[in-house]
Amino acid sequence: MSACLSVLFDSSSGAPSRGPGVFAAAPDSFSCGLLQDLERKAFFDNAILRGSALYQPCIEGLHGLTRTTPPKDYDVLVNFGRYDQFRREQARWGGNKPASDPSFLIDYLRLFRVIKNPEVRFAVPPDRDGRYFVNIGGVYRGRPVDLMVENLPHTLENTAQRSPDAPITGMAMDSGGRIAVHPLFNAHARALVYDPAAVGLDPAECQARFAKLSAKFPGLRLAEPEPPPTSAIWCRPHP
């Protein structure tokens, strides 16, 4: 485990992990089932849940709030891993699309039928290093899923660190039910602080996001900006 992150709950052991600020409940079976099916039935690697479907129940539980609406969707990040089986099936109809082609992913998902009604929302073609992203919307067991496929490896730890717009949204869960959080998540979740500057974003550009989160978490406040550094020169008074 990275030194900059904390694991709040490990479902494999059936109990919260040791450490300060442990308050997460056991991961729900729907989320774990989604991640496990993406890995075992659709042959993706490193399926990781992130977003409000994960962090919102934890914050609500911490402050005694009750969710009145179900998650808008389930935001999942995956790596394109073991797709040799699809290549064999694809050869039957003479296709030979590269994996970075968004229509390849649609064919792929239709074949394995884990995500229903898949549609490409946006795609970033391979750059000079060969890295690419494809975002696909679809449905899993009647609930909406937002699937982000990337070809460069990611981990539970670095997803929790790099994905959020503020530490209070920095949470990620893998298919085994392990949850990792941003190093400031515990403190900011308890204090209901939204601090995009802590992850390198301009607070002025995150006002709409702050307003949306404020509707979910009454009492949420925007972090005060850090004062600019000052340098003082002490001069001995003239006699």
Side-chain angles (χ1 to χ4, degrees):
M1 173 57 61
S2 169
C4 67
L5 296 163
S6 304
V7 168
L8 295 184
F9 189 93
D10 185 344
S11 64
S12 63
S13 65
S17 64
R18 292 178 296 175
V22 176
F23 59 83
D28 69 278
S29 59
F30 178 88
S31 297
C32 285
L34 167 61
L35 301 179
Q36 290 166 3
D37 280 353
L38 284 168
E39 292 183 350
R40 298 173 186 175
K41 296 181 179 180
F43 305 101
F44 286 110
D45 285 337
N46 304 326
I48 293 177
L49 179 70
R50 55 187 182 175
S52 61
L54 183 60
Y55 66 73
Q56 187 171 341
C58 290
I59 298 174
E60 288 172 336
L62 184 63
H63 293 277
L65 303 173
T66 302
R67 170 173 270 180
T68 56
T69 58
K72 181 186 72 171
D73 58 22
Y74 289 77
D75 184 2
V76 180
L77 180 67
V78 296
N79 281 146
F80 218 155
R82 308 174 303 279
Y83 53 93
D84 290 343
Q85 181 175 346
F86 177 77
R87 285 298 194 192
R88 289 193 294 270
E89 294 291 336
Q90 189 186 44
R92 294 183 183 181
W93 63 76
N96 190 28
K97 300 171 185 175
S100 58
D101 185 330
S103 63
F104 172 95
L105 279 169
I106 295 299
D107 291 343
Y108 185 96
L109 290 167
R110 285 173 178 164
L111 173 68
F112 293 113
R113 295 182 292 182
V114 171
I115 303 299
K116 296 183 178 179
N117 305 324
E119 60 177 6
V120 176
R121 291 178 174 167
F122 71 85
V124 178
D127 58 20
R128 289 180 9 181
D129 297 325
R131 183 176 189 177
Y132 61 84
F133 303 88
V134 182
N135 179 241
I136 293 176
V139 177
Y140 174 79
R141 295 184 182 176
R143 302 187 193 182
V145 172
D146 188 307
L147 187 67
M148 178 68 78
V149 183
E150 64 175 357
N151 64 322
L152 291 191
H154 57 254
T155 65
L156 176 68
E157 291 84 359
N158 67 29
T159 299
Q161 179 88 0
R162 68 185 174 94
S163 294
D165 54 293
I168 198 171
T169 64
M171 178 178 280
M173 183 181 79
D174 66 15
S175 61
R178 294 188 313 128
I179 296 175
V181 297
H182 187 280
L184 296 175
F185 177 86
N186 289 352
H188 287 204
R190 291 181 182 280
L192 283 178
V193 173
Y194 181 71
D195 187 5
V199 294
L201 299 179
D202 183 354
E205 298 178 356
C206 299
Q207 291 297 326
R209 174 67 170 156
F210 172 65
K212 185 179 293 186
L213 286 174
S214 295
K216 296 179 180 179
F217 308 124
L220 183 70
R221 61 183 177 84
L222 192 63
E224 295 292 331
E226 291 288 336
T230 58
S231 56
I233 300 177
W234 183 80
C235 298
R236 182 176 182 178
H238 192 277

